[in-house]
Amino acid sequence: MTRTDPFNRLTAKHLEIAGYNAVIAPALRVLRRDTPRLVAVPEALVFTSLQGIRLHRFLPSLADVPTFTVGDHSARLARARGYRHAVSAAGDVRDLCRLLHFALDAGSTILHIGAARPAGDLRFLLPPGTFHVRHQVVYDVVEAGPLDLEWVAGRIGEIDKILIHSPRAGQRIATWLEQEAAAWRGEIFCISPAAARPFATLSGAQIRVAAVPDERSLLAPLFSGSPG
C-alpha cells in the first residue's frame, strides 16, 4: 500500500478490517513548507489534495469562504477543519474546473492551496483570464529513496496486490518494479487512468483502474472479493 502518510494508516485499517494483511510502503514523502502570511481573503479556496487541507493553517477569516475540493473525502475533511462551505466536485481536477465555472463569477480570485508541483495546476487548466488564481504552496513531495523501499523487495513474493493513489506514486512504483522486481506477478489497483499509465510497459502484472477517481472506487473490488 503505497499511499503517503498519514492517510495510509486509515487505508490500512480498512483493508485489515476486510481481512487483508496491509503492508505500508509509501512511494512518496510529504515535506511541509513554510507559507507566507495571508494578506487578503480570496473569493474562493481550492484544495486539490487531502495533504493540502491537513497542512494549511486554518484561519477563522476563511471559515465562510466558498471552498472547493476534488473529491468527497476532501470536502468532509475540509468541513471538519472548519471550512463551513466545502463543496466536492466528486471527480478529478477537470471536474473541479467545471464546478468552478458553474459556481463562481468570472474574475473571481481563487486561492489554490496544495503541493509545489500539483497534479493539476489550476493556473494552466482554467482558461486564461477566467479567474485570478494564486497558488499557495504548503508542502512538497519527494520520491521514496531506494533504502525506503529496499525492505519491501525482500517481501515482494508475499505481496499479491499493490495500491496506487496518484500518478506520481505510480511512476515511482513502476520504476521500482522494473528495477527491483521485474518478474513480479500480481494485481495493481490504480485510482485513475493517469495513475495507471506508468505501468503500461510492465509485463505480467494485471492493471485495474478505479471506475471513479476516489478511494472508495479504488478499494471496492478488493472489498467485494476480500479474504475476510
Side-chain angles (χ1 to χ4, degrees), residues 9-224:
R9 299 174 215 163
L10 182 60
T11 303
K13 182 178 179 181
H14 291 326
L15 291 168
E16 286 166 358
I17 290 173
Y20 290 99
N21 178 20
V23 177
I24 296 177
L28 309 169
R29 291 190 295 116
V30 173
L31 304 178
R32 188 169 197 154
R33 292 266 295 266
D34 292 333
T35 57
R37 183 178 177 181
L38 185 66
V39 177
V41 175
E43 291 168 286
L45 293 171
V46 170
F47 292 103
T48 50
S49 68
L50 289 166
Q51 298 287 4
I53 300 169
R54 180 177 75 91
L55 296 173
H56 182 253
R57 180 171 172 265
F58 174 76
L59 300 171
S61 60
L62 300 177
D64 291 314
V65 175
T67 302
F68 300 89
T69 70
V70 173
D72 296 344
H73 189 180
S74 295
R76 288 193 295 271
L77 179 60
R79 287 191 289 268
R81 291 282 304 222
Y83 303 96
R84 297 191 185 105
H85 306 292
V87 178
S88 165
D92 58 19
V93 177
R94 298 191 183 279
D95 295 312
L96 176 63
C97 289
R98 285 190 283 270
L99 175 60
L100 294 174
H101 274 291
F102 176 79
L104 299 176
D105 294 331
S108 295
T109 300
I110 297 172
L111 183 62
H112 177 197
I113 301 168
R117 291 190 293 160
D121 193 326
L122 299 184
R123 292 173 298 179
F124 305 108
L125 291 175
L126 291 168
T130 310
F131 302 110
H132 302 291
V133 181
R134 289 187 287 131
H135 182 205
Q136 184 175 84
V137 176
V138 294
Y139 70 97
D140 203 352
V141 176
V142 296
E143 295 181 350
L147 293 179
D148 295 322
L149 296 173
E150 186 178 34
W151 67 276
V152 184
R155 297 188 59 185
I156 196 67
E158 305 170 30
I159 295 173
D160 302 308
K161 308 175 193 303
I162 296 175
L163 303 186
I164 302 295
H165 280 74
S166 72
R168 191 166 174 187
Q171 185 61 62
R172 178 69 187 99
I173 295 302
T175 301
W176 179 80
L177 283 173
E178 289 173 356
Q179 293 174 347
E180 304 293 338
W184 182 76
R185 301 291 182 268
E187 295 178 292
I188 301 175
F189 293 80
C190 302
I191 201 165
S192 68
R197 201 166 293 126
F199 300 100
T201 59
L202 191 68
S203 61
Q206 298 180 52
I207 313 302
R208 305 189 184 280
V209 182
V212 177
D214 60 29
E215 189 175 64
R216 179 178 296 180
S217 297
L218 175 68
L219 298 181
L222 289 167
F223 291 166
S224 63

